[in-house]
């Protein structure tokens, strides 16, 4: 819930000029759903850029990205 709320707030504020379709955020399960179509057409890698500045939050985002990778198999 926090990731969705924070991601939406950042995008609403104009985060790097990106639209909703350019970023994936939410629970690991939700992010895996967002990225699954790319895996289905052969993508094997993604670039992770955290949307938060505080280091503990950024580190947690990277940890959760590992869960997304596991879900995508």
């Amino acid at each position: 819930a926090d990731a969705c709320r924070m991601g939406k707030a950042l995008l609403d504020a104009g985060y790097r000029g990106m639209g909703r379709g350019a970023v994936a955020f939410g629970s690991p399960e939700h992010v895996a759903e967002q990225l699954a179509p790319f895996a289905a057409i052969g993508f094997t890698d993604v670039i992770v850029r955290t949307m938060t500045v505080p280091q503990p939050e950024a580190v947690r985002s990277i940890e959760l990205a590992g869960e997304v990778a596991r879900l995508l198999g």
Side-chain angles (χ1 to χ4, degrees):
D2 286 340
C4 287
R5 184 173 41 255
M6 182 183 302
K8 184 176 180 332
L10 288 169
L11 287 176
D12 289 348
Y15 178 76
R16 299 189 180 271
M18 295 181 181
R20 178 63 183 97
V23 297
F25 60 82
S27 69
E29 294 79 12
H30 189 226
V31 172
E33 288 174 14
Q34 293 171 71
L35 297 178
F38 297 102
I41 60 172
F43 282 71
T44 58
D45 299 289
V46 297
I47 296 172
V48 175
R49 180 177 196 149
T50 62
M51 295 174 78
T52 62
V53 175
Q55 186 175 12
E57 293 175 9
V59 169
R60 182 63 180 144
S61 292
I62 298 297
E63 292 170 349
L64 292 170
E67 290 185 36
V68 172
R70 183 184 53 78
L71 290 168
L72 290 171

